[in-house]
Amino acid sequence: MTAADFLPPALGPQRTFALVAGVERYDISHRWNLRGPARDALRFARWLTGPAEVPPANVRLLLSPLDEPGDLDWTDAPAMTALRTAYRPATEENVKSALLDELPQCDGDLLWIFWAGHGYLGPRQELMLPCADARPSQIRHLNLDSALRWWRTDLVKQRRFPLQAALVDSCRVDAPRDTRWNFGNTDYGGGSSVPGRRQFRLYASREGEVAQNDAERGAGRFTEALLGELGGRSVRESVSGLPGAALSIHRTFQELRERGEGWQLPQFIVDRDWDACSFLDDDLSRAALPRAAKLDQAAWDGLGSLFEGRELPRYAYEAYAWAFKAAGCTTPAHAGLPGEGLLEVVQDLDERQGGRGGMPLAVPFVRFLADRAAAGDTPWADRLGEWVRATRERLALPVLPPPPPPARRTVVHVRLETPPGGEAGFQARMWLRGERVHHIWESEGAPVGLDRVREELVRQLALIGGASETDGDAGRPAYTAVDRVEFHVPYELLDADFDQWPVPRGPAGRRRALGLLHQVVVRCPQERADTRAEWHGTWRWLHAQGGRHPDAVRIVTDDEVTDGLGMELAAQPPPACVLAHTTAAPHAGLLEAVLEGGLPVAVWRRGGGLPAPALLDLLAPVGPDGRPDPGALDVLALPARVREVRRAAAGVAAGAARAAAGAAHAHQPPSEGDQLVLLWDDPDDMPGLRSLT
């Protein structure tokens, strides 16, 4: 069929109408908010009223942006100025009014429907597009499939709108089947179908898939590709060229998959052209996989023996992520490992195959395991290395680069124990962990007070920082810097102000708080005896997620601190970290629950009281909706992040002190700084488990 066969002779800008909607802000929850759809809707409206020359009065623009509407890029053009005055919020009432009341009364040949925002599939696989006023009790939405059926009937006058195109930049994932997701049953009914009315649909994702959004640029990848195809085309050119544009977009994303540059990029459903016939050929519609070798039976037999009875090592996620880099592929968008066992991980890698160089992803994964295992399990490391060598030779694979070395940290461990006789003070010991563990100091005789421990810690830090060894590459002295100080303490000392201990720094007697110079954490391993399985299991789970997971962090408020909280936290691996948003002191039930639940990580404000701003605001990166995203918080990086927060708070406090007291006191920074405490119990790093008593 040629363009002349189906385009109405009078089709042009004046007989073209559109519903254009972009929804970023949702009433149901701030977690639904996303940045980009409003910008995409404006860009599509700009094409309609620009190159396509559609009058702004023919466009129904519905926007619910995250930012103030005036802050959006409206472009200095008369048509966009008119739309800026006429746009309405993307509520269900406005959507239905525009699509089912106003536009059907217009006399036109072509209807565009462009929608950007969230999308869910209902029980009958109908695409439901939530509106801005979606609420938990009623997720108000547009049922697009029902609306398009309605538009094919004689409820729209028979000679109007013979062409209708729906372009949707949204996910098409199944809506969860629980009572909180009440979409209701929306069906707009309809009359009798009108022969000859043609519809074209182009979706950003296949059923069950997520459409990708570039949060930094505030743009959907589907819209980006679509507008690139539309370019400067007129109305007639764009309509007749839509099937070709869809085919071009589809090819572009298939090529990305073939190059290994995207595993979860949008996959486009364009199952019908203007004549309701499928125009995607079989070769194109199949998902093309990268051309790389797959593991043979000998490789699988060897892995079965190597992995039998082996738990996931703590570095398994690092190995998984590095495998993609070594093979020249993009790391999958999902966080964490794809399975709970080593064989499951390798099966996932083998299904993905590898990059253009022909390297199966499973081989660099095992190579990384061998490299890290050499530090503690030499026989297993040797067997893994032999498997890599034999597999490379048998499959004629290219040479692998060496994996990156593990991050090296210098940590001082300070262990304090209450004397068994109940005397005042503490028995103390210190270790230095670098490449090896060294015992560096121990209290002798009578127990010592915290002042004595602080003096000795300051002395040891000076000795460590002053010692040097020759840098083999440069031939000059290299000095060791202490990254972290970990205090292993009795339960009653968890809230102590170790991070505020003053340490000499620089000239003129200047002192800095310990927590500003080093990462400072507290630990309480002696309280883990009854929950050792939960403690280790949660730590392993956290590493398997790469430190990030939507359920890894839990914010606990006062009303949640009950006698049953500890059992609730112990029920399953997530969460791994608690952020205390409580007014009571942390010992009033919260820390008991954290330790009983086997959680290795917790953050609270010393002495109790609500932190201002909230801990999630302080610690988590900002998500696409402009709010802190707990799923993006790297729990494994919290010691460094907490130090950053302490330094920022000290800088603000110092500025306030200078303003209040004048420059004469500016060289004496405040001793308090912030009041964050970080519990950080790494079960894999426990020097000196033997009791000091």
Side-chain angles (χ1 to χ4, degrees):
M1 174 178 287
T2 66
D5 294 327
F6 72 88
L7 289 185
L11 175 62
Q14 299 297 327
R15 297 188 58 78
T16 299
F17 292 80
L19 170 74
V20 180
V23 192
E24 296 183 342
R25 184 183 299 277
Y26 296 84
D27 290 348
I28 188 171
S29 169
H30 72 272
R31 299 189 187 281
W32 277 49
N33 295 347
L34 69 164
R35 188 172 300 279
R39 179 178 182 271
D40 289 339
L42 278 182
R43 294 168 69 204
F44 189 80
R46 194 176 301 128
W47 170 79
L48 275 174
T49 58
E53 299 181 335
V54 175
N58 291 13
V59 179
R60 303 300 187 268
L61 179 61
L62 306 179
L63 295 175
S64 291
L66 278 174
D67 301 320
E68 291 297 322
D71 294 337
L72 297 175
D73 182 12
W74 290 93
T75 305
D76 187 14
M80 295 303 293
T81 300
L83 288 178
R84 182 172 182 174
T85 304
Y87 91 92
R88 289 171 281 177
T91 63
E92 182 187 38
E93 181 180 358
N94 288 338
V95 171
K96 292 173 65 176
S97 177
L99 188 58
L100 303 179
D101 294 332
E102 300 168 20
L103 289 170
Q105 302 305 315
C106 299
D107 187 8
D109 291 325
L110 169 64
L111 172 70
W112 292 98
I113 299 175
F114 177 88
W115 189 287
H118 286 302
Y120 294 96
L121 294 176
R124 292 181 295 178
Q125 299 301 292
E126 294 181 318
L127 181 55
M128 301 180 295
L129 304 171
C131 299
D133 53 346
R135 295 191 174 100
S137 59
Q138 181 64 58
I139 302 179
R140 297 181 175 91
H141 65 282
L142 169 66
N143 184 330
L144 183 65
D145 289 275
S146 178
L148 290 174
R149 282 197 302 270
W150 187 95
W151 268 86
R152 286 199 301 267
T153 70
D154 57 7
L155 294 181
V156 180
K157 292 186 179 180
Q158 291 194 20
R159 294 190 179 182
R160 294 180 181 175
F161 297 106
L163 302 177
Q164 302 160 16
L167 313 172
V168 184
D169 193 349
S170 79
C171 304
R172 297 174 73 205
V173 295
D174 291 334
R177 307 290 194 258
D178 64 55
T179 56
R180 295 172 298 174
W181 291 70
N182 179 28
F183 280 93
N185 185 13
T186 303
D187 191 331
Y188 307 117
S192 301
S193 296
V194 175
R197 192 167 271 154
R198 298 185 171 97
Q199 288 184 341
F200 182 92
R201 306 188 194 191
L202 180 57
Y203 299 137
S205 57
R206 294 183 296 194
E207 291 181 354
E209 290 192 342
V210 175
Q212 296 294 311
N213 186 64
D214 189 337
E216 291 185 5
R217 302 179 58 221
R221 293 187 176 180
F222 167 76
T223 302
E224 194 82 12
L226 173 66
L227 291 174
E229 291 292 332
L230 293 176
R233 295 183 181 183
S234 67
V235 166
R236 296 183 70 88
E237 291 170 343
S238 62
V239 174
S240 61
L242 261 183
L247 192 60
S248 175
I249 293 170
H250 193 88
R251 289 187 187 279
T252 297
F253 282 96
Q254 289 290 1
E255 289 169 1
L256 287 174
R257 288 176 65 89
E258 290 172 5
R259 294 198 301 268
E261 295 178 5
W263 303 106
Q264 295 182 348
L265 292 171
Q267 296 299 293
F268 294 86
I269 291 293
V270 193
D271 51 10
R272 299 293 183 267
D273 64 10
W274 287 114
D275 198 29
C277 296
S278 176
F279 61 83
L280 295 181
D281 59 70
D282 291 340
D283 290 338
L284 182 62
S285 59
R286 282 199 303 266
L289 292 172
R291 295 182 298 274
K294 294 175 74 74
L295 297 183
D296 58 10
Q297 189 59 51
W300 281 111
D301 291 342
L303 290 178
S305 173
L306 282 169
F307 292 163
E308 184 179 3
R310 293 274 177 178
E311 293 184 353
L312 283 171
R314 64 181 292 175
Y315 44 81
Y317 179 78
E318 294 177 74
Y320 182 76
W322 183 75
F324 290 90
K325 183 177 180 180
C329 300
T330 298
T331 306
H334 69 79
L337 291 171
E340 298 181 356
L342 286 168
L343 276 178
E344 292 178 71
V345 175
V346 172
Q347 286 167 353
D348 173 85
L349 292 169
D350 198 49
E351 288 172 3
R352 297 177 185 276
Q353 294 184 280
R356 287 166 291 177
M359 177 63 69
L361 288 163
V363 176
F365 174 75
V366 178
R367 171 72 173 85
F368 192 104
L369 296 182
D371 188 76
R372 293 297 172 88
D377 190 345
T378 303
W380 192 50
D382 291 342
R383 294 174 61 203
L384 291 169
E386 177 57 29
W387 181 93
V388 170
R389 184 196 62 76
T391 303
R392 280 190 52 241
E393 289 182 357
R394 194 170 57 253
L395 301 182
L397 301 178
V399 176
L400 271 171
R408 300 193 181 279
R409 293 188 179 91
T410 301
V411 181
V412 173
H413 293 265
V414 181
R415 185 171 181 185
L416 305 175
E417 285 189 9
T418 303
E423 304 95 325
F426 301 92
Q427 294 178 313
R429 179 181 291 175
M430 296 183 191
W431 293 266
L432 174 66
R433 175 184 283 279
E435 293 186 10
R436 294 180 298 276
V437 178
H438 304 279
H439 172 241
I440 56 176
W441 179 79
E442 183 174 354
S443 61
E444 298 178 357
V448 298
L450 290 180
D451 286 344
R452 175 72 182 93
V453 177
R454 178 183 59 78
E455 292 172 359
E456 185 58 36
L457 175 61
V458 169
R459 190 178 76 88
Q460 291 296 334
L461 291 174
L463 290 174
I464 297 167
S468 68
E469 54 187 31
T470 301
D471 186 331
D473 294 331
R476 58 184 177 227
Y479 296 90
T480 301
V482 173
D483 299 294
R484 186 183 304 161
V485 181
E486 302 190 358
F487 290 87
H488 305 237
V489 299
Y491 178 76
E492 61 272 13
L493 284 184
L494 282 175
D495 208 38
D497 62 347
F498 299 114
D499 56 285
Q500 300 297 332
W501 279 4
V503 178
R505 182 75 167 184
R510 181 194 296 271
R511 290 176 177 269
R512 296 290 192 193
L514 182 67
L516 301 182
L517 303 177
H518 311 283
Q519 302 169 17
V520 174
V521 303
V522 293
R523 311 184 59 171
C524 197
Q526 61 268 38
E527 298 291 343
R528 304 285 187 174
D530 297 331
T531 58
R532 191 171 299 278
E534 292 84 352
W535 178 32
H536 282 256
T538 301
W539 188 253
R540 290 287 186 274
W541 175 86
L542 181 63
H543 274 273
Q545 309 309 315
R548 296 181 178 90
H549 191 276
D551 299 327
V553 177
R554 174 164 172 180
I555 300 170
V556 175
T557 57
D558 282 311
D559 58 354
E560 295 177 287
V561 183
T562 64
D563 289 342
L565 178 60
M567 294 294 293
E568 179 185 345
L569 295 175
Q572 54 186 351
C577 170
V578 156
L579 303 183
H581 195 73
T582 54
T583 55
H587 290 77
L590 176 63
L591 291 186
E592 291 95 325
V594 167
L595 294 170
E596 182 185 4
L599 270 66
V601 185
V603 186
W604 66 91
R605 183 181 183 182
R606 181 174 295 109
L610 294 178
L615 292 176
L616 191 63
D617 294 334
L618 279 173
L619 301 172
V622 175
D625 58 358
R627 299 170 182 264
D629 181 5
L633 175 58
D634 187 351
V635 178
L636 294 174
L638 269 180
R641 177 61 187 149
V642 168
R643 181 175 63 173
E644 291 176 7
V645 171
R646 288 170 176 155
R647 288 177 171 177
V652 172
R658 283 194 296 270
H665 302 285
H667 69 284
Q668 293 292 343
S671 60
E672 291 298 321
D674 79 289
Q675 296 296 310
L676 293 192
V677 184
L678 172 60
L679 172 70
W680 179 266
D681 257 337
D682 178 352
D684 295 327
D685 188 8
M686 298 292 297
L689 289 177
R690 180 176 58 84
S691 173
L692 303 181
T693 60

